[in-house]
Structure formats: C-alpha cells, structure tokens
Amino acid sequence: MSHDFRIDVVTDGGPPASATIHVSGDFDAATVPEFDRRTGDLPGTAEAVVVDVGAASVIDSSALGALIRLRERCNAADVGFTTLVRRPFQRKLLHHTGLNDVLGVHDSPTDRCR
C-alpha cells in the first residue's frame, strides 16, 4: 500500500530559533517511524517547535502518539510547541480526543502558543 506521506523540517535561526515541521499525506502507523526519525533531534537548539499537519489527509492514533511524544520532549526542554491544523476533520479529531490543549492547537502560524 502506498502511503502518500511527506515531512519537511524547516529550521530558522531566529531569534527566537524555531523549527517548523510540515506533514502531508497519510500520517499513520506506517509513517510515524519516519516522523520520529526526522524529528528525533528536536527540540535541540530551537526555542519553539511548530508542527503543521494542515496538509495531512489522514491522522491516526499512532500519529497522535508521535505528536504527544514530541510535545513531551519540548516540555522537558522548556521549548514552545504548537500544532497547526487547517482542515475541519483535523479540528474535530483533536477536539474529540481532548488533545487541543495538550498539542497547543491553532489554525494559523500567528496564533503560536507556548
């Protein structure tokens, strides 16, 4: 089965230094290992991490777990964390799972939270 998945990690030297992770396609159990591999060194030197799942067509429970793990690493390093959503199904999923606050969900990059 083909998993249309792409992850791009863009770092910005700041100040403040930030890392933005753009996820597109199927973000699921088959693609979480790639997400974990590509984000394993974050938060690193970043002062803020933003995960943009706006282009994700699928987000399953494995993907939510990966986001939570990254959020926990950011919390431990006192690094800000925001998840950007753009599609109604993404908002509903995170609302119904109670993860809006945990994952710092926002609709636009200007709404970043700590």
Side-chain angles (χ1 to χ4, degrees):
M1 175 185 272
S2 173
H3 289 276
D4 178 29
F5 177 74
R6 182 177 172 125
I7 178 171
D8 294 304
V9 180
V10 179
T11 56
D12 171 2
S18 66
T20 302
I21 303 154
H22 299 278
V23 176
S24 62
D26 295 353
F27 189 16
D28 59 17
T31 58
V32 162
E34 176 69 7
F35 178 87
D36 288 343
R37 186 183 69 73
R38 295 284 309 276
T39 62
D41 61 348
L42 295 175
T45 59
E47 296 176 40
V49 172
V50 177
V51 181
D52 183 348
V53 296
S57 53
V58 171
I59 301 173
D60 75 359
S61 61
S62 298
L64 294 177
L67 292 173
I68 291 167
R69 287 190 302 278
L70 180 55
R71 170 65 184 214
E72 288 172 349
R73 289 198 316 269
C74 288
N75 281 349
D78 196 30
V79 168
F81 184 90
T82 303
T83 304
L84 298 180
V85 298
R86 302 186 195 283
R87 297 179 176 186
F89 91 88
Q90 296 166 344
R91 287 181 199 90
K92 286 180 185 178
L93 172 67
L94 295 169
H95 173 75
H96 289 304
T97 58
L99 293 175
N100 275 340
D101 292 335
V102 172
L103 295 177
V105 173
H106 292 283
D107 294 330
S108 76
T110 58
D111 289 339
R112 290 183 183 179
C113 71
R114 181 106 173 136

